[in-house]
Amino acid sequence: MSSVAEPSVTEPAQLTRSQRLDRLPFTRLHGRLLGGSGIGWALDAMDVGLISFLMVAIKKEWGLSTGQVSWLASVGFIGMAVGASLGGYLADRIGRRNVFALTLLVYGLATGFSALSPGFWMLLAFRFVIGLGLGAELPVASTLVSEYAPARIRGRMVVLLESFWAVGWVLAALIGYYIVPKDNGWRWALLLGVVPALYAMYVRRGLPESVRFLERAGRIDEAEQSVRRFEESAGIAPVPSPNPEKVTKMSPKALWEKRFAGRTVALWLTWFGVNFSYYGAFLWIPTFLVAQGFPMAKSFEFTLWITLAQLPGYAVAAVLIEKVGRRFTLASFLLGSAVAAMAFGQASSESTILLTGCLLSFFNLGAWGALYAVTPEVYPTVLRATGSGSATAFGRIASIIGPLLVPWVHDNHGTGLTFVLISVSFAVAMLAALGLPEWKGKELQNS
């Protein structure tokens, strides 16, 4: 007798392939997709996190000015802004999986080659190329996971994907603490970036392509085979699916049509505020601590503990996002981030710096998880990766401005006012988040 379960008598005679995916429980194939995408995400985070530690060492070794170090941080985000917009556009046209693998390859190789940089300008150029790959990968990976996740746990799966970012930052903090302070330690740290290039070979073969993309591209047989693999892993018998209606392609200008314009403004402002606050603060925390008189090793140790606080932040967000919804979770964590940033700016003792820094990390990264969960739900399939990439790209403008503006404010006005500015940015993002649509438990839009 077959072990495959029969459809219930109340189940419709026909379900779309998206509905068939939505009815599934979490399976080993979902776990493989989440883990495969998440490892790439963690390696990306490791690269971004490393630069905050490398800036301290490279500034000392090469005698760089604060302005030069600021550009070393910001140029990667210029590349990320370009990469996010281009990657989202390409993912809606040539597929999520292909773009995901290509971006890992680009930024992994560029990171490895950057370890050989003889001077500042060469390293700056490589940091831009690294940003191209990294910026394109993040919105594409979250879109792919979102389109396979069952509706009732979609938000939680995307938050879990985003939680791999904390794993990457912890790896960066460990490398920063144990390797970067050694002779040529920053070069050895960058050489570890070759790992994503090797991983890209696995990604291209091991991850499925989006069913929604395959249907829209007219590759119906491939879409059906992919859905059946997930159904088989869940022990659920397939049901007939109608051929999808042909959907007219949309250009990026459609983001500003009447039905999308309001949510586009809200999404872009949220991304802008979160990026400015996060990169303005976390890239400079080790440097600020050194400026306050802490030894480099001690500042790296503080940063490691602050980074570990990201993990419970993701865990709480993953629970709340399916309990109370995306919008409330996102706004609440952004409010907590604003309060924690204000408190961190006033902290002076080791204990208060650690406590407020951990709270800032907890709330900020929980907010990131919720933001990545809600972003792919804002637009229909034909615009999903383009819309996600465009919002991410706009946010990257803030990640360029933040690392340039924040050290200037710090040098001229002190730590307190610096974190008032960061707190205000979190508050703006919170207000914008209240204008986003709530899609908890609903099927993703196709048109």
Side-chain angles (χ1 to χ4, degrees):
M1 182 179 291
S2 173
S3 62
V4 176
E6 294 297 327
S8 68
V9 294
T10 59
E11 195 169 74
Q14 281 196 329
L15 295 171
T16 66
R17 293 180 184 86
S18 297
Q19 289 170 336
R20 286 162 62 186
L21 289 174
D22 277 342
R23 70 177 177 156
L24 298 179
F26 186 87
T27 70
R28 60 180 177 80
L29 291 186
H30 289 107
R32 185 181 300 173
L33 173 63
L34 186 59
S37 302
I39 293 171
W41 201 289
L43 293 171
D44 287 354
M46 185 181 76
D47 179 86
V48 174
L50 272 176
I51 195 63
S52 67
F53 298 96
L54 301 183
M55 288 191 303
V56 180
I58 293 172
K59 181 179 182 180
K60 181 180 179 181
E61 181 176 328
W62 286 351
L64 302 179
S65 67
T66 300
Q68 287 176 307
V69 175
S70 298
W71 275 109
L72 199 58
S74 289
V75 72
F77 298 117
I78 296 174
M80 289 174 77
V82 176
S85 183
L86 181 61
Y89 178 82
L90 289 175
D92 276 334
R93 280 150 184 80
I94 66 173
R96 284 59 160 139
R97 183 179 62 179
N98 290 336
V99 175
F100 185 29
L102 178 62
T103 58
L104 282 168
L105 187 64
V106 168
Y107 104 82
L109 290 176
T111 301
F113 282 123
S114 69
L116 308 176
S117 299
F120 173 72
W121 292 105
M122 180 70 76
L123 183 58
L124 202 68
F126 276 122
R127 292 305 304 172
F128 174 79
V129 178
I130 290 166
L132 282 176
L134 177 60
E137 188 270 327
L138 297 177
V140 174
S142 60
T143 297
L144 179 60
V145 170
S146 184
E147 289 181 334
Y148 266 102
R152 64 189 175 281
I153 58 169
R154 185 173 59 240
R156 186 167 300 164
M157 278 188 64
V158 177
V159 175
L160 290 174
L161 170 67
E162 165 65 3
S163 70
F164 279 86
W165 187 267
V167 176
W169 263 87
V170 171
L171 289 173
L174 290 171
I175 293 168
Y177 185 68
Y178 289 108
I179 296 178
V180 173
K182 301 181 184 299
D183 290 340
N184 288 317
W186 68 268
R187 294 185 186 273
W188 288 108
L190 285 173
L191 278 174
L192 292 173
V194 176
V195 173
L198 301 175
Y199 177 69
M201 300 177 192
Y202 163 78
V203 169
R204 181 63 182 85
R205 294 174 18 166
L207 296 184
E209 181 54 90
S210 163
V211 169
R212 293 167 184 269
F213 169 79
L214 291 172
E215 286 187 329
R216 191 168 54 79
R219 295 155 62 180
I220 304 301
D221 289 343
E222 291 178 62
E224 179 64 24
Q225 289 171 11
S226 189
V227 173
R228 290 195 176 208
R229 280 196 296 271
F230 275 77
E231 289 174 327
E232 182 180 346
S233 71
I236 293 178
V239 296
S241 286
N243 288 328
E245 297 179 9
K246 188 173 180 60
V247 179
T248 305
K249 290 183 178 180
M250 293 184 181
S251 75
K253 291 188 292 185
L255 298 174
W256 299 102
E257 291 179 357
K258 184 177 180 180
R259 64 173 172 149
F260 297 131
R263 60 182 70 177
T264 295
V265 170
L267 189 63
W268 284 28
L269 285 176
T270 306
W271 272 93
F272 190 93
V274 172
N275 271 272
F276 181 90
S277 305
Y278 176 76
Y279 290 108
F282 281 88
L283 282 182
W284 286 101
I285 281 177
T287 303
F288 290 165
L289 292 174
V290 169
Q292 288 180 249
F294 293 101
M296 184 168 68
K298 190 68 172 179
S299 74
F300 286 1
E301 181 186 346
F302 278 16
T303 305
L304 173 58
W305 286 111
I306 290 171
T307 301
L308 286 170
Q310 296 179 13
L311 292 169
Y314 284 124
V316 174
V319 173
L320 290 179
I321 204 161
E322 300 296 1
K323 296 287 187 182
V324 299
R326 286 84 158 113
R327 187 168 51 204
F328 179 82
T329 301
L330 177 56
S332 298
F333 273 78
L334 287 171
L335 177 60
S337 300
V339 173
M342 192 77 73
F344 184 81
Q346 303 302 316
S348 55
S349 67
E350 289 191 14
S351 58
T352 55
I353 287 172
L354 275 175
L355 175 62
T356 56
C358 286
L359 286 173
L360 177 59
S361 185
F362 173 91
F363 284 112
N364 191 192
L365 276 297
W368 270 112
L371 181 57
Y372 268 107
V374 74
T375 297
E377 298 177 341
V378 171
Y379 302 106
T381 300
V382 70
L383 270 180
R384 184 163 297 121
T386 299
S388 298
S390 297
T392 305
F394 187 74
R396 296 306 175 195
I397 296 173
S399 66
I400 297 164
I401 297 171
L404 292 172
L405 180 60
V406 163
W408 180 88
V409 175
H410 183 268
D411 290 347
N412 289 277
H413 301 286
T415 302
L417 190 59
T418 299
F419 280 87
V420 167
L421 176 63
I422 289 169
S423 180
V424 169
S425 181
F426 276 128
V428 170
M430 178 198 69
L431 294 174
L434 296 174
L436 293 172
E438 178 58 62
W439 225 260
K440 178 173 77 76
K442 299 179 183 177
E443 182 182 355
L444 289 174
Q445 310 162 80
N446 273 324
S447 60

